[in-house]
Amino acid sequence: MKKNKTKNGVKTECAIVIYHSVGNMLKGRYPGAKGLSEENISGQLDFISKNYAVISLKNYADFLGGSTQIPKKSCVLTFDDGLKNNYLNAFPILRQKKIPACFFPLTLPIVKSVILPVHQTSFLLAEVGAKILTDEFNQILKSDFPDYLDKFFIEGKIKKDKRYKWDAPLTANLKYSISGLPQDIKTKIINRLFSAHFSDAENFFGGLYMNFEEMKEMMAYGMSFGSHGHSHSKLSELGKDEQIKEIKNSKEILEKGLRTEIKLFSYPYGSYNEITMEILADHEYVCAITSDYGINYGKDINVFALKRMDTLDLPFKEN
């Protein structure tokens, strides 16, 4: 692929870094369900600031559209899922350091007090471990959903998806199988497992996701927001009408709640296809980030298939 150059003849590059949880998802209650610590994200942001010019995702999208220029070595910071610890732990550090970032909240938890299967899975893994959770998951498939057994039965020998490179094979394959199940089947299985291991499952929701007032405060300090879909469904597994519903609903809920246009998208599970990209274009999104590893060079790239790096991919390591 030809790499475009800036007006000075220097190749441009943009690293998009993805974060999820910052600190424990529910501090003090389930310490195993944790993300990057506040101390380490602060150190990582210092590293990034010294080695890159940190720009907003909108600024990068404008560059790709030809309306502006960016520094030759730029970086965009993104946070998926809309977890409240992003507001409590990451936002104060970003604000203090005056660093912009884009956040991609899921909208189903905003309009309905539910914990999505992707986050229930994180708590379950922290509580019982991959071996027990896998055995219980496989047993439910056998007893209640035998038609899905061949495709989604979990083994821990070889990873089924290289994007889970930071997980052990069994954990990676567990996440992969759960992500690929139809949303209704996934929800039934994970809700059953979650209720079996957490006696306070009905009261677990409080304090897990950001609300609109918190998001508006973040916007006032230069943070931006985009869509991550409505229910964290694997879009490439959905039909066109279902994909439209996921993308359109999320956009409308965020635009109404934040009173701003939503034109940036992050694919749940990094999952998309040609239909997804067509829908995004039809609904006036200007770019989308994937889970495909890499740095984005020049302008001659697909704006709906931007590569990114996990926080663990960066040279700065946790203490």
Side-chain angles (χ1 to χ4, degrees):
M1 179 182 291
K2 181 181 178 182
K3 295 175 184 176
N4 289 35
K5 300 180 179 182
T6 67
K7 61 183 180 181
N8 297 319
V10 180
K11 295 176 182 178
T12 59
E13 63 178 76
C14 184
I16 302 176
V17 183
I18 194 76
Y19 295 90
H20 288 87
S21 182
V22 179
N24 292 340
M25 290 180 75
L26 285 181
K27 206 165 188 176
R29 292 180 66 183
Y30 300 97
K34 63 182 181 180
L36 195 69
S37 70
E38 295 97 309
E39 294 80 11
N40 282 304
I41 192 174
S42 181
Q44 192 169 86
L45 291 176
D46 288 340
F47 171 86
I48 291 171
S49 297
K50 290 177 182 178
N51 290 275
Y52 296 89
V54 183
I55 63 174
S56 70
L57 185 56
K58 181 183 182 303
N59 190 190
Y60 184 48
D62 289 342
F63 164 75
L64 294 175
S67 62
T68 189
Q69 295 294 326
I70 61 172
K72 67 177 182 178
K73 194 173 183 182
S74 297
C75 181
V76 171
L77 305 179
T78 61
F79 292 76
D80 278 5
D81 294 352
L83 297 168
K84 189 179 285 285
N85 64 32
N86 290 179
Y87 168 75
L88 295 174
N89 302 331
F91 169 53
I93 299 171
L94 292 164
R95 181 178 61 190
Q96 188 270 327
K97 296 180 183 294
K98 297 181 179 180
I99 295 175
C102 186
F103 296 79
F104 294 92
L106 295 153
T107 50
L108 180 56
I110 298 175
V111 298
K112 187 176 181 181
S113 296
V114 295
I115 305 176
L116 295 178
V118 62
H119 301 125
Q120 289 175 305
T121 301
S122 294
F123 286 117
L124 285 165
L125 283 168
E127 180 74 0
V128 303
K131 178 63 170 63
I132 292 175
L133 188 57
T134 296
D135 290 343
E136 294 180 352
F137 177 89
N138 285 339
Q139 185 56 48
I140 293 175
L141 279 183
K142 289 179 183 178
S143 62
D144 294 11
F145 305 101
D147 292 343
Y148 294 90
L149 186 61
D150 288 343
K151 184 175 181 181
F152 295 103
F153 184 84
I154 301 166
E155 295 180 295
K157 298 176 182 177
I158 300 174
K159 289 185 182 181
K160 295 181 178 180
D161 191 329
K162 63 182 180 180
R163 286 176 294 187
Y164 295 98
K165 66 179 182 178
W166 297 107
D167 291 311
L170 188 61
T171 300
N173 291 343
L174 174 69
K175 291 179 179 179
Y176 178 77
S177 287
I178 291 173
S179 73
L181 280 167
Q183 191 70 16
D184 60 336
I185 304 298
K186 178 196 310 181
T187 300
K188 289 177 182 177
I189 294 176
I190 300 303
N191 280 346
R192 180 171 164 184
L193 291 168
F194 198 74
S195 296
H197 289 286
F198 294 103
S199 60
D200 61 342
E202 292 184 359
N203 300 317
F204 216 94
F205 175 82
L208 190 57
Y209 300 100
M210 290 189 287
N211 59 46
F212 280 131
E213 292 307 310
E214 292 161 343
M215 294 181 210
K216 289 176 183 176
E217 179 186 346
M218 296 166 74
M219 289 174 60
Y221 285 92
M223 306 303 147
S224 57
F225 286 84
S227 169
H228 195 39
H230 186 57
S231 65
H232 207 276
S233 295
K234 202 168 188 177
L235 296 176
S236 64
E237 302 289 334
L238 302 181
K240 184 174 182 179
D241 289 345
E242 291 175 297
Q243 288 201 48
I244 291 173
K245 186 176 180 180
E246 277 286 319
I247 292 168
K248 183 180 179 181
N249 282 359
S250 174
K251 182 181 177 71
E252 290 177 348
I253 291 168
L254 289 172
E255 289 184 339
K256 181 179 180 180
L258 296 175
R259 298 181 181 178
T260 189
E261 288 186 314
I262 297 296
K263 294 189 174 185
L264 311 171
F265 197 88
S266 174
Y267 298 114
Y269 298 113
S271 169
Y272 65 102
N273 53 26
E274 291 294 329
I275 293 173
T276 319
M277 293 187 284
E278 291 173 4
I279 294 169
L280 290 176
D282 289 344
H283 287 79
E284 299 183 338
Y285 286 89
V286 296
C287 71
I289 55 174
T290 72
S291 291
D292 302 329
Y293 173 80
I295 294 176
N296 303 284
Y297 292 96
K299 293 183 180 179
D300 190 14
I301 56 178
N302 186 341
V303 295
F304 293 119
L306 300 179
K307 297 177 181 179
R308 64 181 180 177
M309 302 169 66
D310 190 273
T311 174
L312 297 176
D313 292 319
L314 294 178
F316 178 83
K317 302 297 182 182
E318 291 193 70
N319 296 324

